[in-house]
Amino acid sequence: MLVAAVAAALCVPAASAGSGNGLPTSIGKGEGQLNLIAWEGYTQPQWVKPFEKATGCQVNAKYAGSSDEMVTLMRQGGGSQYDGVSASGDASLRLIYGHDVAAVNPNLIPDWKNFIPALKGPPHNTVKGVHYGISLQWGPNTLLYNTTKVKPAPNSWSVIYSRKFKGKVTVPDNPIQIADAALYLSKAKPSLKITDPYELNSTQFNAAISLLKQQKPLIKKYWALASDEIDLFKNGGAVVGASWPYQTNTLIAAKVPVKDLIPKEGATGWADTWMMSAHAKHPNCMYKWMAWVSTPKVQAEQAIYFGETPANPKACPIMDKLSKGSAAQYHCGASASYFDSIKFWKTPVAACGNGQNDCMDYTKWQQAWTQLKG
Amino acid sequence: MEQRSTRIALAVWSALVILFLWVPLALIMLYAFNKSNVQSWPIPGFTTHWFRAAWTSEVHTSLILSVKVGLIATAIALVLGSAAAFGVARFRFFGREAVSFLLVLPIALPGIVTGIALNSAFVTGHVNLSMWTIVVGHATFCVVIVYNNVLARLRRSSPSLIEASQDLGADGWQTFRFVIWPVLSTALVAGGLLAFALSFDEVIVTTFTAGSQNTIPLLILGYIRLGQQLPVVNVIAFAMILLTAVPVLLAQRLMRDTGVLRRSAGNVTEAVESAQITAV
Amino acid sequence: MAASLDAAQGLTSRPPGRPARAARLRLSGLFWRHPWAKALLLLAPPLLAFIFVYLLSLVALFVSSFWTIDPFTSELKHVWNIDNYRQLWQSGAYHSVALRTIGIAAAVTVADAVLAFPLGYFMARVAGGKSRAFVFVAVLLPLWSSYLVRVYIWRLILDDSGVLNWSLRKLGLPAANIGYTNWAVWLIFTYVWLPFMILPVYGALERIPESYLEASRDLGAGAWTTFRRVILPLALPGVVAGSIFTFSLTLGDYVTPLLAGGASSQFIGNVVYDSITTQQTPFAAAFAAVPLAVMGVYLLIARKLGAFEAL
């Protein structure tokens, strides 16, 4: 999905020195502070403290558990409340079209030229050749299960829709979860002809909702906070569910017998971008941050901590040095075909890719999700 | 006098309710020593590591912010709340019932309504969310607390005290210093303490009126989200329980001195005991 | 007597040397002659602050419930319509959320009243000075520990392998397994709001003069009759005052259902919160009108029952 757009994106003029497009040509002095909106686990002291020391920019992070929250937070106070946000693909376009984020000059980020081609100027953060952020990391939404309670090891998403684990399943409390149901149906019910889990006409959408309604009695809790899922697996409330690698890593570190995988139907995922607010009060610190988190060492540290894949392939050897085998485990330097197999989050809009205009837009997703939870 | 069996039954019931209130608090304090960063039962091991780990710069900053917000909101509440209470208690005017009703709303309405109303107002007015917007949000319910306490006290004291003082030639300041203040002081202190407590622990309105800053409750919510250092949250709660024992004991002492905690045969007795009347 | 007092306190007999005091006396006189000026001075600042900051923002919020938002950019569009209310009315899911919220709020209020009343009676009329002070501190102190941490600890207690099930199993009883259910939500709310109910109930019971109870006995009433016909009616305003807190705090809360609720534990507050974070402010405002209306009715009833005197 991203391969086609790459060529256009790469044609960004390298020299923007005084070219009149308003982008800065160098990073100025740090302003001493940086206010960020981040996913849980994206601003760990491990790489924040060295940054603060090196640049003098004190980092204040506010956590958000969903892209919706991130968009809301970015718009508060006229948009100057926060300097940056680690937006996933389903928030980034909304922020761009809402004029909440500023265009950035990727040439100010030394490591940007090393990024994998697919993430140098992907359509979710680059519009008409203008970059609105620097890609960060990407990863899948995984299937997490308790190895002692779920035997044999599952290999399909059907396990979270199966009555076998009634009352012991957990999935994210996020309307975008409808896409996961659609993804499963695209393989389990081919007659629905679902090609893109984010572009659903009303028949396909209703089928996904009805699957989710059947799933509801199986759900112990819809997790809204990462720690919800951690608590559920640790204390026996849930034995199988949809998750992020962050929870898997935390649980394994706490000696809980869990494993995660990408089932045979594939997985939805997220590709995150650090975007700068259009009214940022500390733009220099923001540029310094974007440059910092793109360096191979920080990319490796974050990838291992959260369990995601760096945009900078130079991080792969460092990952193996920090934690043997982690580069392969988290698909660092993975092939383009693996990258393409992940259905990255994007905002559902009425315009379906095939020229039709009858797909469900995101408002309908949100309403359906609230009504589903009842 | 109640029967002995009734008194024993009541004492037992009270003990059970207090146990119900305190067992979770004891567990909070116990979990502060948890060796693992993921909370579970039974606790795998004990350590005091988190007590050192808790005192980070962000905890420090949030604590200072919470205290500042609490003090400012309480100060505003003391002034506006007592003024309003005086106005409502001592004067009859058109719309008195409506004013009374209006001043109960912030407590009676769900916090989320106050929060989103203020947030919308700030967003529309292009007001940046900052410590001052948090203060505004907190002041709304703090004013109500102080207002209620002062109003209750004024209702129980006689307005003729002020008239008597004026008949004896005292001017406004002397009346305030020698008649009004002694009657009100404990109500103000009790109201102020309760208002500060509510402001310090408030999370719902604060979520909508805080900018990138964190008060202690917002910080705790962030830690709970992350799930990496949960015992730190318990350490903070532990510290709060210990630290606030002092003001609460103080409040209890004050209330006892003015006869609020003493069984009284009437409301006038209490007011007479606590007012220092210098004339006569 | 009065003259010597005047001289002793240096009042009217010393005009020119004390201009500040003379000015204060003139001001007092002015307020005495025009009491409305005093009332205005006292009431204007709080009321103006309230009206401009609080009331107007509430009104603005509810006006926005008649507008809509752009589906893609989520910006507010000033197009008048009642779609939000129509959606609330038509969808069964919102009905169950509202009923669940009101139902649990009522259940919490009842549970708190039942727990608080005997305790309040003990504190007010049975306990000696030292015990009363001890109980008072024991009840107040929990209010000062963080609400969030208290909710979180209950989540741990009620977990499948938490303290509750562990204790039940040790006693040979079956596990309760109420973690992440509406029972858990009810229990936790009852726990956190209990001190708010105890204080007004205690206050109301403490104000009942002993002479009333003696008179009731003199007239031949037994303990139960005295309780039913003298104590209960006099304590009722305190119970209702406490219930305003427990009911309204539960009605608007979203944190406890979020942290400790299960798959079907959405409260009005959660739907409002989700709508706000997905930028659907008009819908959030429309749904927020529900607890507003409920509390409005509740407050009117409470006023009739005299609760405002007992706050």
Side-chain angles (χ1 to χ4, degrees), chain A residues 293-312:
Chain A
V293 295
S294 305
T295 58
K297 180 155 184 287
V298 178
Q299 288 262 307
E301 286 173 341
Q302 182 168 342
I304 292 175
Y305 186 81
F306 196 91
E308 49 188 0
T309 315
N312 187 347

Side-chain angles (χ1 to χ4, degrees), chain B residues 3-279:
Chain B
Q3 276 188 312
R4 185 137 198 278
S5 57
T6 319
R7 293 158 69 87
I8 294 181
L10 286 172
V12 168
W13 184 275
S14 306
L16 287 175
V17 171
I18 292 183
L19 212 63
F20 175 61
L21 281 175
W22 276 87
V23 164
L25 294 182
L27 284 171
I28 289 176
M29 298 196 272
L30 196 63
Y31 269 105
F33 297 97
N34 188 359
K35 198 158 67 172
S36 161
N37 67 341
V38 173
Q39 310 278 48
S40 63
W41 184 265
I43 298 179
F46 295 92
T47 169
T48 55
H49 155 71
W50 301 108
F51 284 88
R52 271 164 286 141
W55 191 245
T56 57
S57 67
E58 54 176 6
V59 171
H60 191 236
T61 325
S62 306
L63 186 64
I64 292 184
L65 182 66
S66 280
V67 169
K68 267 199 219 164
V69 166
L71 287 177
I72 300 177
T74 306
I76 295 176
L78 286 174
V79 171
L80 293 183
S82 10
F86 256 105
V88 169
R90 296 284 185 248
F91 297 93
R92 299 210 122 58
F93 53 91
F94 176 73
R96 188 164 165 232
E97 294 280 307
V99 169
S100 232
F101 198 77
L102 177 67
L103 287 169
V104 170
L105 280 185
I107 292 281
L109 287 187
I112 191 166
V113 176
T114 309
I116 63 181
L118 288 175
N119 183 290
S120 294
F122 292 138
V123 166
T124 321
H126 293 294
V127 176
N128 257 342
L129 299 182
S130 67
M131 180 184 87
W132 294 105
T133 51
I134 307 179
V135 167
V136 167
H138 286 205
T140 55
F141 55 80
C142 287
V143 166
V144 174
I145 301 281
V146 173
Y147 165 78
N148 277 318
N149 266 283
V150 174
L151 189 64
R153 179 60 58 86
L154 286 175
R155 283 213 176 106
R156 295 206 289 223
S157 63
S158 168
S160 49
L161 286 171
I162 298 186
E163 287 185 20
S165 160
Q166 287 173 326
D167 284 345
L168 291 162
D171 63 33
W173 174 245
Q174 285 174 320
T175 307
F176 176 77
R177 205 176 128 210
F178 295 117
V179 179
I180 300 178
W181 175 252
V183 174
L184 277 194
S185 61
T186 54
L188 286 175
V189 171
L193 278 176
L194 196 58
F196 187 83
L198 283 183
S199 157
F200 201 77
D201 193 31
E202 215 286 326
V203 67
I204 294 182
V205 174
T206 320
T207 311
F208 291 101
T209 53
S212 52
Q213 320 78 359
N214 279 328
T215 55
I216 289 276
L218 290 181
L219 188 71
I220 292 178
L221 194 57
Y223 278 134
I224 290 181
R225 295 193 85 114
L226 211 49
Q228 288 299 334
Q229 290 184 299
L230 289 165
V232 168
V233 159
N234 291 62
V235 167
I236 296 177
F238 192 156
M240 275 162 71
I241 296 175
L242 288 184
L243 286 173
T244 57
V246 170
V248 169
L249 277 166
L250 202 71
Q252 178 265 320
R253 274 247 124 88
L254 284 170
M255 302 243 230
R256 193 186 61 194
D257 285 345
T258 61
V260 172
L261 282 186
R262 199 177 313 156
R263 217 171 292 155
S264 56
N267 305 327
V268 176
T269 325
E270 186 222 325
V272 167
E273 280 168 0
S274 60
Q276 296 160 27
I277 304 179
T278 57

Side-chain angles (χ1 to χ4, degrees), chain C residues 27-265:
Chain C
L27 198 63
S28 304
L30 181 80
F31 281 135
W32 176 251
R33 280 189 295 279
H34 307 283
W36 57 266
K38 197 170 181 190
L40 198 65
L41 191 69
L42 284 173
L43 287 170
L47 282 186
L48 285 176
F50 249 62
I51 290 175
F52 279 109
V53 173
Y54 188 64
L55 205 61
L56 276 185
S57 49
L58 272 183
V59 166
L61 181 73
F62 288 103
V63 163
S64 79
S65 73
F66 293 103
W67 291 340
T68 131
I69 51 159
D70 177 284
F72 191 66
T73 62
S74 304
E75 280 163 5
L76 205 59
K77 291 213 297 233
H78 300 224
V79 177
W80 296 93
N81 68 82
I82 55 163
D83 282 342
N84 296 313
Y85 290 98
R86 197 179 295 135
Q87 210 189 353
L88 281 179
W89 186 250
Q90 285 171 345
S91 164
Y94 302 122
H95 298 172
S96 34
V97 169
L99 286 173
R100 176 185 308 131
T101 312
I102 296 173
I104 293 188
V108 167
T109 303
V110 168
D112 274 339
V114 166
L115 285 175
F117 203 90
L119 181 70
Y121 195 89
F122 177 76
M123 267 171 83
R125 316 205 71 88
V126 175
K130 276 215 171 63
S131 335
R132 184 180 308 119
F134 173 76
V135 174
F136 195 76
V137 172
V139 164
L140 260 195
L141 213 51
L143 271 184
W144 283 76
S145 64
S146 166
Y147 160 80
L148 284 172
V149 184
R150 279 180 286 160
V151 175
Y152 192 75
I153 198 79
W154 268 106
R155 178 163 112 169
L156 286 176
I157 293 174
L158 298 175
D159 256 331
D160 278 10
S161 57
V163 178
L164 181 67
N165 280 350
W166 177 83
S167 318
L168 288 173
R169 283 196 206 107
K170 283 251 159 34
L171 292 172
L173 295 166
N177 285 337
I178 54 174
Y180 303 112
T181 61
N182 287 332
W183 288 105
V185 173
W186 166 74
L187 183 60
I188 296 174
F189 274 131
T190 305
Y191 175 80
V192 288
W193 308 138
L194 188 56
F196 285 109
M197 176 64 92
I198 293 178
L199 293 176
V201 167
Y202 162 76
L205 283 169
E206 185 245 350
R207 277 195 286 273
I208 301 177
E210 188 70 31
S211 49
Y212 284 27
L213 303 181
E214 285 168 10
S216 166
R217 254 188 304 273
D218 288 344
L219 289 165
W224 176 246
T225 318
T226 307
F227 174 76
R228 220 187 50 199
R229 307 189 76 178
V230 179
I231 299 178
L232 208 52
L234 287 173
L236 192 64
V239 175
V240 178
S243 76
I244 293 180
F245 283 114
T246 59
F247 198 79
S248 101
L249 288 169
T250 309
L251 207 62
D253 197 274
Y254 65 88
V255 176
T256 301
L258 184 71
L259 285 178
S264 297
S265 298

Side-chain angles (χ1 to χ4, degrees), chain A residues 94-144:
Chain A
R94 277 190 276 161
L95 290 169
I96 295 174
Y97 286 117
H99 304 290
D100 300 301
V101 291
V104 297
N105 182 355
N107 297 303
L108 295 178
I109 313 296
D111 280 284
W112 179 77
K113 56 186 185 302
N114 299 324
F115 280 7
I116 61 178
L119 284 179
K120 271 185 156 155
H124 60 254
N125 67 29
T126 306
V127 176
K128 297 206 183 91
V130 182
H131 297 261
Y132 288 95
I134 304 294
S135 298
L136 175 67
Q137 308 244 0
W138 54 281
N141 292 315
T142 52
L143 176 64
L144 180 67

